[in-house]
Amino acid sequence: MSQRKNILILGSTGNLGRQSLDILKSLPEYRVVGLTTNDNVFELQKQIKIFKPDFVVIADQEAGSRFKAGEHRVYIGEEWLSKAIEREKIDCVFNALSGVVGIESTLAAIRARKQILMANKESLVAAGEIIMKEAKRCGVEILPVDSEHSAIFQCLIGEEIEEVDEIILTCSGGYRGGEKNPQIDSLLKKSKWKMGRKITVDSATLMNKGLEVIEAQVLFGLLAKKIEVVIHPEAIVHSMVRFKDGSIKAQLGPTDMRLPILYALAYPERKGVPGKELSFSNLILNFKKPNIKKFPCLIFAYQAAKIGGTMPAVLVAADEIAVEYYLKNKIRLQDVPKIIKKLWMGTGINTGISSIPA
Amino acid sequence: MSQRKNILILGSTGNLGRQSLDILKSLPEYRVVGLTTNDNVFELQKQIKIFKPDFVVIADQEAGSRFKAGEHRVYIGEEWLSKAIEREKIDCVFNALSGVVGIESTLAAIRARKQILMANKESLVAAGEIIMKEAKRCGVEILPVDSEHSAIFQCLIGEEIEEVDEIILTCSGGYRGGEKNPQIDSLLKKSKWKMGRKITVDSATLMNKGLEVIEAQVLFGLLAKKIEVVIHPEAIVHSMVRFKDGSIKAQLGPTDMRLPILYALAYPERKGVPGKELSFSNLILNFKKPNIKKFPCLIFAYQAAKIGGTMPAVLVAADEIAVEYYLKNKIRLQDVPKIIKKLWMGTGINTGISSIPA
């Protein structure tokens, strides 16, 4: 068993972290050596029992003080999300952190020459240039876990990026329900994908798709104008690549995040894991252009991608704040884009969040 | 210009031959050194004026005797469809012959170590085992030109055939018009693809899709039971591959045979040629299972593929005869499968075609 790969799951108690652990149960070639949580010590204890890691990180000091250690090293404090990568024996880092807190860990993993499975889109959006430069310098490959970017990655296998005409990102379409002020529980229930709260709100406003445009620009080195967003309500086609000869390759599959997670973990091989197969008996796939008037967040993202520099980072921060306001019931879903715009474009950006109307 | 590739177009006056010449006009890296026709000397003369080949072959003796030679070598007689390959300076053979007459030429091209672009499906179906064995022995790659097989080939680029779960061949659906006895002109008008007469009839009976199942079995080395046919009326998704991790790759594009022709000619590169782009504004794609009761030819093909040996060759021959009867107005379209069955399964197989009722 000396060939087993030591994997650290950053953000193991979150939605994607849990799904990755679910897949790792069927992949004996991996050994889960590290788990991390912000403050969910209850879930962490359950995971420790099953996976018996060498170490755990609890980012939140207060939660860490409540934690009862077992036969594993315990690191308490956010700084250990990166420092543990330097100290521990790890081959591979699955970054399922949420938000820009993942940037430091990503850079630490790159500099320590670990293989990176990337599910933390905010860090790629906010610090894409720095991350990709470091990855290139250190010869580290970053494998995307987002279903869309995994689809694009799969469509590009064996192809040349110079021969790509455009990337076509599919999108299930944002919030279309009739409620005047939909609550988070309603959004979670309607979502095609099982996801966390923040990304479910981002999907409802199409900010998630906007961030994915920037993420694709970063990961595949194409300008945002070469990345098209297409509405595809069935969420079966996970994304496509159009080549310069007019040929298009698409990647399809059941709407299940465990598939792109499995792909990244098994890469460059493909491994079968029991699950529901996509059937083509009476399947209908619809595609149409997005309504950018109704979903201005998409425009913000294209603008941020075009301007570059710190603009994507500021957009990510503005979005994190606006979504938090919505989740705390201080603003309605329809106000999220307005608050983002105000934070992002207005003077509010540098003066802190306290001045933002709720 | 010493790096130009010398290409021979077998069957240059047929539908696919003409479309390949149309594409070759925009590919200066190729020099068309040879053209062949069965008896269409009128079209051949036009092509000679444009492409100035080194030689031409006219398979039909009578047509050959009417032909006025210019500044090129002329070979008359069917045997020259293979002998010219041995004698002339050729790098690459585009086999757009129709029917089993293409087998000899394919084998000659393989033995002479030429690159082969394969649009002659009947030879792969009827003599697949021999052809692939010779291709392997001689280290010759056979590039598919059929839109479905080109799609599968593209989906397999960079992937391992061992990781394929199944091939999904799409099919626009066979004849669905309301006419009791549709004539060939009506079939040609309704076809999604611009094709020759024989293949248009084969598409109407789904025998074309059946032959493609056998062709896929031959080209990709998968058992026919691992090849699924799915009805897709829009003919936008040209075929798909399902991998063992549940991920599916599809190749899409406008319904234009020039695209797979271009792909094969430009391979392993991709070259842009002006043409209509596939748009995803208000695109709807439908998929459903084929009605095998209505289209028994599909069953014949699966049976032939399973039994192997000479059964596929006999099926191809039976189909050629039945289609000819239909084109000569001796039988109705709905009788084509019945005649094929009789020829293929009955005693008529070995006693010649004269005993077949018209």
Side-chain angles (χ1 to χ4, degrees):
Chain A
M1 282 303 216
S2 63
Q3 287 186 323
R4 288 178 83 186
K5 274 165 106 175
N6 288 345
I7 190 166
L8 159 66
I9 314 295
L10 291 170
S12 65
T13 60
N15 184 289
L16 278 177
R18 285 192 238 191
Q19 294 196 60
S20 73
L21 287 174
D22 190 33
I23 292 291
L24 283 162
K25 282 180 196 161
S26 355
L27 297 178
E29 61 268 41
Y30 279 98
R31 194 168 78 87
V32 178
V33 294
L35 299 168
T36 88
T37 188
N38 182 42
D39 57 8
N40 192 347
V41 291
F42 178 74
E43 179 67 25
L44 186 68
Q45 289 286 21
K46 286 201 286 180
Q47 295 179 347
I48 289 169
K49 269 188 197 151
I50 300 168
F51 292 97
K52 301 178 181 60
D54 295 344
F55 69 97
V56 299
V57 178
I58 300 154
D60 186 81
Q61 292 283 355
E62 200 273 320
S65 67
R66 285 188 280 117
F67 183 75
K68 280 179 195 150
E71 292 176 29
H72 46 257
R73 289 177 287 288
V74 180
Y75 303 104
I76 293 167
E78 202 179 290
E79 70 275 20
W80 287 102
L81 292 174
S82 350
K83 278 167 81 179
I85 296 172
E86 295 152 27
R87 180 176 294 198
E88 295 284 343
K89 273 193 186 164
I90 300 164
D91 300 309
C92 177
V93 175
F94 190 99
N95 187 346
L97 294 171
S98 180
V100 291
V101 66
I103 297 176
E104 276 306 309
S105 308
T106 305
L107 288 171
I110 290 172
R111 287 169 188 153
R113 266 83 174 169
K114 311 301 183 196
Q115 193 189 10
I116 300 173
L117 280 54
M118 194 64 169
N120 173 226
K121 98 180 44 161
E122 290 90 346
S123 75
L124 277 179
V125 174
E129 218 171 297
I130 302 163
I131 288 172
M132 295 312 283
K133 216 167 145 184
E134 278 296 273
K136 202 179 167 186
R137 185 179 70 82
C138 298
V140 167
E141 189 171 30
I142 296 180
L143 287 174
V145 171
D146 239 353
S147 63
E148 293 81 357
H149 302 82
S150 174
I152 297 160
F153 186 89
Q154 291 183 51
C155 290
L156 288 174
I157 291 276
E159 304 280 356
E160 298 294 328
I161 194 76
E162 293 74 25
E163 293 177 350
V164 171
D165 185 36
E166 65 165 350
I167 282 173
I168 301 165
L169 272 179
T170 53
C171 171
S172 56
Y175 182 71
R176 284 155 299 166
E179 296 165 72
K180 274 212 169 158
N181 184 19
Q183 300 299 299
I184 179 67
D185 290 342
S186 167
L187 298 185
L188 285 166
K189 217 180 287 171
K190 279 184 181 133
S191 173
K192 280 259 173 195
W193 297 92
K194 279 187 204 166
M195 299 181 296
R197 289 152 57 94
K198 159 81 166 42
I199 189 172
T200 299
V201 180
D202 282 344
S203 295
T205 62
L206 289 205
M207 180 51 94
N208 182 52
K209 205 52 54 179
L211 298 182
E212 284 176 5
V213 169
I214 306 175
E215 187 185 359
Q217 172 172 283
V218 168
L219 278 171
F220 304 109
L222 278 184
L223 290 178
K225 65 178 178 182
K226 290 276 181 190
I227 303 166
E228 189 188 347
V229 171
V230 167
I231 301 299
H232 169 49
E234 294 85 7
I236 295 288
V237 174
H238 301 315
S239 276
M240 302 183 261
V241 174
R242 191 196 302 268
F243 297 92
K244 64 184 187 186
D245 60 358
S247 175
I248 292 163
K249 270 194 197 173
Q251 191 266 342
L252 295 76
T255 312
D256 183 344
M257 269 312 293
R258 291 176 311 160
L259 271 85
I261 291 172
L262 171 63
Y263 180 79
L265 286 166
Y267 178 82
E269 287 174 57
R270 287 183 181 271
K271 289 194 193 284
V273 159
K276 228 183 98 196
E277 257 196 2
L278 180 65
S279 160
F280 290 92
S281 318
N282 301 315
L283 183 67
I284 299 174
L285 303 177
N286 285 275
F287 302 89
K288 61 179 182 180
K289 285 195 171 172
N291 181 345
I292 47 174
K293 274 194 183 156
K294 206 177 154 194
F295 296 105
C297 289
L298 209 48
I299 301 293
F300 303 163
Y302 273 101
Q303 287 173 336
K306 194 180 169 184
I307 301 167
T310 57
M311 286 308 264
V314 179
L315 184 64
V316 166
D319 177 53
E320 286 193 5
I321 295 160
V323 171
E324 211 180 310
Y325 272 85
Y326 166 75
L327 290 175
K328 286 183 175 162
N329 233 334
K330 291 184 179 176
I331 59 172
R332 295 169 303 168
L333 183 66
Q334 69 213 67
D335 296 326
V336 171
K338 292 174 201 160
I339 300 297
I340 293 173
K341 192 174 178 183
K342 213 161 189 171
L343 279 162
W344 185 51
M345 308 277 282
T347 53
I349 297 174
N350 299 316
T351 55
I353 66 158
S354 57
S355 59
I356 306 307
Chain B
M1 283 303 215
S2 63
Q3 288 187 321
R4 288 178 82 186
K5 274 166 106 174
N6 289 344
I7 190 166
L8 159 65
I9 313 294
L10 291 170
S12 65
T13 61
N15 183 289
L16 278 177
R18 286 192 238 190
Q19 294 197 61
S20 72
L21 288 174
D22 190 33
I23 293 290
L24 283 163
K25 283 180 195 161
S26 354
L27 296 178
E29 60 269 40
Y30 279 98
R31 196 168 77 86
V32 178
V33 294
L35 299 169
T36 88
T37 188
N38 182 42
D39 57 7
N40 191 347
V41 291
F42 178 73
E43 179 68 24
L44 186 68
Q45 289 286 19
K46 286 201 285 179
Q47 294 179 346
I48 289 169
K49 269 189 196 149
I50 299 167
F51 292 96
K52 302 181 179 57
D54 295 344
F55 68 97
V56 299
V57 178
I58 300 154
D60 186 81
Q61 292 283 355
E62 200 273 320
S65 67
R66 285 188 280 115
F67 183 74
K68 281 179 193 146
E71 292 177 27
H72 45 258
R73 290 177 286 289
V74 180
Y75 303 104
I76 293 167
E78 201 178 291
E79 70 276 21
W80 286 102
L81 292 174
S82 354
K83 279 167 79 177
I85 294 171
E86 296 152 24
R87 180 175 295 196
E88 295 284 345
K89 274 194 184 160
I90 300 163
D91 301 307
C92 176
V93 175
F94 189 99
N95 187 346
L97 295 171
S98 179
V100 290
V101 66
I103 297 175
E104 277 305 311
S105 309
T106 304
L107 288 171
I110 290 171
R111 286 167 188 153
R113 266 82 174 169
K114 311 300 184 196
Q115 193 190 10
I116 299 172
L117 280 54
M118 194 64 168
N120 172 226
K121 102 180 43 164
E122 291 89 347
S123 76
L124 277 180
V125 174
E129 217 171 299
I130 303 163
I131 287 172
M132 295 312 283
K133 215 166 146 184
E134 278 297 271
K136 201 178 169 186
R137 187 179 68 83
C138 299
V140 167
E141 189 171 32
I142 297 180
L143 287 173
V145 171
D146 240 352
S147 63
E148 292 81 357
H149 302 81
S150 174
I152 297 160
F153 186 89
Q154 291 183 51
C155 291
L156 288 174
I157 291 276
E159 302 280 356
E160 299 294 328
I161 194 75
E162 293 75 24
E163 293 177 350
V164 171
D165 183 39
E166 66 165 350
I167 283 173
I168 301 164
L169 271 178
T170 54
C171 171
S172 57
Y175 182 71
R176 285 154 299 165
E179 296 166 72
K180 273 210 172 162
N181 184 19
Q183 301 299 300
I184 178 67
D185 290 341
S186 167
L187 297 186
L188 285 166
K189 218 180 286 170
K190 280 183 181 135
S191 173
K192 281 259 173 194
W193 296 91
K194 280 187 203 165
M195 300 182 295
R197 289 151 57 93
K198 159 80 166 43
I199 189 172
T200 299
V201 180
D202 282 345
S203 295
T205 63
L206 288 205
M207 180 51 96
N208 182 53
K209 203 53 53 181
L211 299 182
E212 284 177 4
V213 169
I214 306 175
E215 188 185 359
Q217 173 171 282
V218 167
L219 278 172
F220 304 109
L222 278 185
L223 291 178
K225 66 177 177 182
K226 289 275 183 191
I227 303 166
E228 188 188 347
V229 172
V230 167
I231 302 299
H232 168 49
E234 294 85 6
I236 295 287
V237 174
H238 300 317
S239 278
M240 302 184 262
V241 174
R242 191 196 305 266
F243 296 93
K244 64 183 188 187
D245 60 358
S247 175
I248 292 164
K249 270 194 196 173
Q251 191 266 341
L252 296 76
T255 313
D256 184 343
M257 269 311 293
R258 291 177 309 162
L259 269 84
I261 292 172
L262 170 63
Y263 180 79
L265 286 166
Y267 177 84
E269 287 174 57
R270 289 183 180 271
K271 287 193 194 286
V273 159
K276 228 183 98 195
E277 258 196 1
L278 180 64
S279 161
F280 290 92
S281 318
N282 300 315
L283 182 67
I284 299 175
L285 303 176
N286 284 275
F287 303 88
K288 59 178 183 182
K289 283 193 173 177
N291 181 344
I292 48 174
K293 275 194 182 155
K294 206 177 155 192
F295 296 105
C297 290
L298 209 49
I299 301 293
F300 304 162
Y302 274 99
Q303 287 173 336
K306 194 180 171 184
I307 301 166
T310 58
M311 287 306 266
V314 179
L315 184 64
V316 166
D319 177 54
E320 286 192 5
I321 295 160
V323 171
E324 210 180 312
Y325 273 86
Y326 165 74
L327 290 174
K328 285 181 175 162
N329 231 334
K330 290 183 180 175
I331 59 171
R332 295 170 303 170
L333 183 66
Q334 69 211 70
D335 296 326
V336 171
K338 293 174 199 160
I339 300 297
I340 292 173
K341 192 174 180 183
K342 214 160 188 170
L343 278 161
W344 185 50
M345 307 280 282
T347 53
I349 298 175
N350 300 317
T351 55
I353 65 157
S354 57
S355 60
I356 306 308

